[in-house]
Each structure stands twice: as structure tokens, then as C-alpha cells.
């Protein structure tokens, strides 16, 4: 089966052709990052407009690269949740139009389910081993930071174990980079500068307070903001010319956030008694995170699986693949109708209560 995937939930416009075995036949990802540099973050209205302008060309190019037309496609999979409403709508309406015009089945995919299955994508030249089920997954991106138990490819076999109560880890990278005047997106630049900095020299320390598998990153960002203010540290005048103070703070921030992510992920693996950990999402590209997690996990006999960068960041291949698996499982029952609606929330139940206030064991989010 060959599935056309469409992804427009946030700031990447992407289309891909993927087989039900996970082979990525072709893929195009148009990143909107350049549009958001002046704002230091995604502006939903601009994202939606950009998707509307770019998506038709992205789909055409995806088909052209594979040397096929829509008649070769067996189904159309599209991210319909969670994400920015306007952005989701562009992909969803396009997918519905294509499904209606071609008579091909339409399948709505939850973006988080796509991320959780992205480790199984087979990209040309990639020889990384794939995990068996079940595994613990840390999904860590600009919009999401959560731990899951994944027992199989269906949504009913994925369970959230804990998540951030406030900012996502990638959001914290972006906000701290903004405080330091390092530009957008913050993750890659902090990752790079941290290699040249000395965390201890910065004088910045942070003690996380949350136990269990819940996380919080807005406190970390505020602690960094206070540190910068108290010491009268100026943001970089020119993002390409940071000083040692900026490098040391980048190292200290990264060390703090990586420590939290690694500690929580290992705790999840131990609570679930699982020997496999899978990373996903844009922050999985962080070299200190993967190195530290691998080092600590190997001491406990736990295997760590990190997908290639193209599978970590938002992409339509993971959506096509998740759609193919859903259709494989239940070819007649799983196809959606043209009434498929967008939704800003994931289908995966959250056990983490967002924001402040008293905790319950199973808060809504
Ligand atoms: O998954 P993604 O491409 O988009 C969504 O947020 O859904 O993730 C983007 C996020 C941004 O916040 C970016 O700063 C962060 O991933 N990121 C990184 C690195 N590369 C990207 N964070 C830390 N280290 C990196 N090397
Ligand atoms: Zn994502």
C-alpha cells in the first residue's frame, strides 16, 4: 500500500509518499522558520496562510519526485489533531478535496501518534535498528513534552505516563535563546554554543521541584530570566557573536533541561519495567540529550533508539505511515469520511494537569 501523507499542524508544510512497511518513497518538507524569525515563535495566522500558499506545490513536488500521480496512491492520510486550528484546516481541507476527487480512502492521523511511530520509518541509507514493542517514548518538541508507554501501533495501545504542566522543552529552549539574544529557533543554537561553554562558570543553578513523571519548564525559564536580570547580563547584540557569558549560560540551561528529561525518562522506564526507550520530536536532535540518555540508560541495560533528524522534526512521512498502519489494521472500518473534523487536542488521554493549582491523579488537560 502506498499512502500520501499531509502534515500542516504547526510550522512545517509537508507531504510524503510512504509504504505500509514504512519505506519513505518521497517527501517534501517546507519549513516556515524564516517567517517566524522576527517574532521569535510561531504566529498561528501566518502559519495557516503560509500552508495555504505552499501545500499544493509541496504535494505536486512529492508526487513528481516519486515519478507517480495520484492514481498510484492507495489512501490519503492527514494530520487532523492536535495543532493550530487554522494550520490543521489547510491540510485537512486539502486532503478531503483530494480524497473526494480521487475516491481514495481518507484517514485522519493524530500528530502525536505519528511522532510515536516515526522511529519505524525506513529512510534510504538509514541502517539504525528498530525497537520491538513495548517501549517508553519521550516525545519532546516545541509544542509537546510527554512520556508514553507504547505497546503497539494503534492509539489504544499508547498511554501517556506524564508530561509537562506548562511549557514544552523546545519552547523553553526558544524562550531562553530569546532572552540571550540568540535568535530563533533556540534549540540548535543553544546546543551549539553549549559545546563551547562551561555550565559551572555561569553560576546558574536550578533545582526542579516536581516529583514523579510530571515536568515543568516555565520555572526553569523564569530562573534563567532572573539570573540574567540580577547580573545585568546583556543579550547578544549580534546572534552570530556570542560572548563566553552567553556560551556558559547556554551550557548551564541545557545541562538543567537535559538532566530533567533524562531523569524522568529513566524513571518511566523503571516504573514500567521496560528496557527500550525511543526519542521523538525536534528536541530529540539535541546531542547532549541523546548522549546523556544513552550513557545513563546503558548502565541500566536499557536500549535507546533515536530516529534520524528528518523523522524527529515535523514531517508528513510519519503521518502517512501511521495512516497506513491504521488502514492495515482495519481496512474498512478505519477510513474516515469527509465529515472528519480538526481538533486542537490529541486523542491520547493526558494524565497531566496543565497549569498551576492543586493536582489530582487524573486531571483533565
Ligand atoms: O518537532 P519540531 O520540529 O516542531 C514542533 O515543535 O512540533 O520541534 C521544534 C523544536 C524547537 O523548539 C527547536 O528549538 C527545538 O525543537 N530543537 C532543538 C534542537 N533542534 C531543534 N532543541 C534542542 N536542541 C536541538 N539541537
Ligand atoms: Zn510535532
Amino acid at each position: 500500500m502506498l499512502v500520501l501523507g499531509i502534515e500542516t499542524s504547526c510550522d512545517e508544510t509537508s507531504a510524503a509518499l510512504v509504504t505500509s512497511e514504512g519505506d519513505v518513497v518521497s517527501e517534501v518538507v517546507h519549513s516556515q522558520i524564516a517567517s517566524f524569525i522576527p517574532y521569535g515563535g510561531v504566529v498561528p495566522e501566518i502559519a495557516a496562510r503560509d500552508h495555504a500558499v505552499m501545500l499544493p506545490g509541496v504535494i505536486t513536488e512529492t508526487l513528481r519526485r516519486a515519478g507517480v500521480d495520484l492514481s498510484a496512491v492507495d489512501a490519503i492520510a492527514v494530520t487532523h489533531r492536535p495543532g493550530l486550528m487554522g494550520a490543521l484546516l489547510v491540510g485537512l481541507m486539502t486532503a478531503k478535496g483530494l480524497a473526494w476527487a480521487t475516491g481514495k480512502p481518507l484517514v485522519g492521523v493524530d500528530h502525536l501518534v505519528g511522532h510515536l511511530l516515526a522511529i519505524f520509518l525506513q529512510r534510504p541509507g538509514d541502517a539504525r535498528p528498530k525497537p520491538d514493542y513495548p517501549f517508553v517514548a519521550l516525545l519532546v518538541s516545541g509544542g509537546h513534552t510527554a512520556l508514553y508507554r507504547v505497546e503497539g501501533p494503534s492509539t489504544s495501545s499508547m498511554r501517556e505516563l506524564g508530561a509537562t504542566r506548562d511549557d514544552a522543552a523546545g519552547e523553553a529552549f526558544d524562550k531562553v535563546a530569546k532572552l540571550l539574544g540568540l535568535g530563533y529557533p533556540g534549540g540548535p543554537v543553544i546546543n551549539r554554543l553549549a559545546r563551547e561553554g562551561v555550565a559551572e562558570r555561569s553560576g546558574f543553578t536550578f533545582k526542579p521541584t516536581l516529583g514523579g513523571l510530571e515536568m515543568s519548564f516555565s520555572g526553569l525559564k523564569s530562573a534563567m530570566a532572573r539570573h540574567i536580570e540580577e547580573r545585568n547580563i546583556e543579550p547578544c547584540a549580534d546572534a552570530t557573536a556570542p560572548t563566553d557569558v552567553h556560551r556558559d549560560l547556554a551550557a548551564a540551561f541545557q545541562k538543567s533541561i537535559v538532566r530533567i528529561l533524562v531523569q524522568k525518562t529513566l524513571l518511566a522506564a523503571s516504573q514500567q519495567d521496560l528496557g527500550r526507550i525511543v526519542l521523538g520530536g525536534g528536541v530529540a536532535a539535541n546531542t547532549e540529550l541523546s548522549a546523556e540518555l544513552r550513557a545513563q540508560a546503558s548502565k541500566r541495560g536499557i536500549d535507546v533508539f533515536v530516529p534520524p533528524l528528518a523523522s524527529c522534526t515535523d514531517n508528513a512521512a510519519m503521518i502517512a505511515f501511521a495512516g497506513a498502519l491504521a488502514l492495515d489494521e482495519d481496512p474498512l472500518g478505519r477510513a474516515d469520511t469527509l465529515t472528519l473534523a480538526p481538533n486542537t487536542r490529541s486523542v491520547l488521554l493526558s494524565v497531566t494537569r496543565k497549569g498551576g493549582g492543586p493536582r489530582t491523579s487524573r486531571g483533565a488537560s
Side-chain angles (χ1 to χ4, degrees):
M1 186 158 59
L2 186 66
V3 175
L4 172 67
I6 295 175
E7 157 65 41
T8 63
S9 65
C10 188
D11 60 342
E12 262 88 29
T13 315
S14 179
L17 286 164
V18 177
T19 67
S20 23
E21 285 73 46
D23 292 308
V24 182
V25 177
S26 73
E27 182 182 35
V28 176
V29 181
H30 164 73
S31 168
Q32 302 178 351
I33 279 178
S35 306
F36 301 125
I37 288 174
Y39 306 97
V42 177
V43 182
E45 175 66 22
I46 297 177
R49 289 176 189 217
D50 228 37
H51 287 310
V53 172
M54 297 306 292
L55 185 57
V58 164
I59 294 172
T60 308
E61 177 61 12
T62 302
L63 293 165
R64 193 196 63 76
R65 287 188 194 173
V68 299
D69 59 28
L70 279 174
S71 63
V73 170
D74 296 299
I76 295 159
V78 62
T79 306
H80 72 120
R81 64 193 304 173
L84 305 169
M85 183 51 82
L88 285 169
L89 271 168
V90 176
L92 181 57
M93 300 320 278
T94 306
K96 283 184 182 180
L98 291 176
W100 180 79
T102 59
K104 312 274 180 188
L106 172 75
V107 55
V109 173
D110 188 291
H111 181 81
L112 303 189
V113 172
H115 272 303
L116 293 177
L117 296 174
I119 187 72
F120 298 111
L121 288 174
Q122 190 53 54
R123 295 178 181 277
D126 172 33
R128 290 162 213 239
K130 311 277 187 255
D132 290 327
Y133 294 110
F135 54 80
V136 160
L138 170 66
L139 173 52
V140 64
S141 71
H144 308 279
T145 299
L147 286 155
Y148 296 88
R149 181 185 173 96
V150 180
E151 291 181 355
S154 66
T155 51
S156 58
S157 51
M158 299 170 174
R159 188 159 59 86
E160 188 198 286
L161 304 169
T164 180
R165 280 186 189 176
D166 39 56
D167 292 352
E171 201 177 345
F173 269 98
D174 295 337
K175 287 178 175 172
V176 167
K178 200 171 179 180
L179 289 173
L180 293 172
L182 298 175
Y184 176 82
V189 59
I190 288 184
N191 196 175
R192 184 167 48 75
L193 291 189
R195 285 192 203 109
E196 303 154 4
V198 182
E200 294 68 30
R201 203 165 56 190
S202 72
F204 176 78
T205 51
F206 180 74
K207 219 172 164 323
T209 50
L210 284 183
L213 297 177
E214 289 195 347
M215 293 168 262
S216 164
F217 299 109
S218 78
L220 174 56
K221 177 212 65 194
S222 307
M224 181 58 81
R226 267 197 311 279
H227 180 95
I228 289 171
E229 197 183 325
E230 280 165 14
R231 302 195 179 203
N232 289 322
I233 296 166
E234 290 292 324
C236 273
D238 177 354
T240 60
T243 65
D244 280 347
V245 172
H246 300 110
R247 292 188 180 92
D248 293 348
L249 280 175
F253 166 74
Q254 181 170 279
K255 195 171 175 181
S256 302
I257 201 161
V258 163
R259 185 182 293 149
I260 298 169
L261 292 169
V262 168
Q263 190 240 325
K264 300 282 177 180
T265 308
L266 292 174
L267 178 62
S270 121
Q271 284 184 355
Q272 296 294 314
D273 197 19
L274 291 177
R276 288 177 286 270
I277 291 172
V278 170
L279 284 188
V283 183
N286 188 272
T287 47
E288 189 174 325
L289 174 61
S290 49
E292 191 59 26
L293 187 60
R294 279 187 204 284
Q296 304 252 4
S298 79
K299 288 188 209 152
R300 295 164 170 80
I302 298 173
D303 293 324
V304 176
F305 300 83
V306 185
L309 184 60
S311 299
C312 286
T313 51
D314 285 351
N315 66 87
M318 67 186 191
I319 302 304
F321 181 54
L325 292 186
L327 284 170
D328 258 0
E329 205 181 301
D330 183 4
L332 292 175
R334 189 55 187 86
D336 287 296
T337 66
L338 296 180
T339 59
L340 180 66
N343 194 315
T344 54
R345 302 214 168 167
S346 172
V347 73
L348 302 177
L349 186 70
S350 176
V351 296
T352 306
R353 172 122 164 226
K354 305 288 177 185
R359 301 295 136 197
T360 56
S361 60
R362 212 168 172 78
S365 85

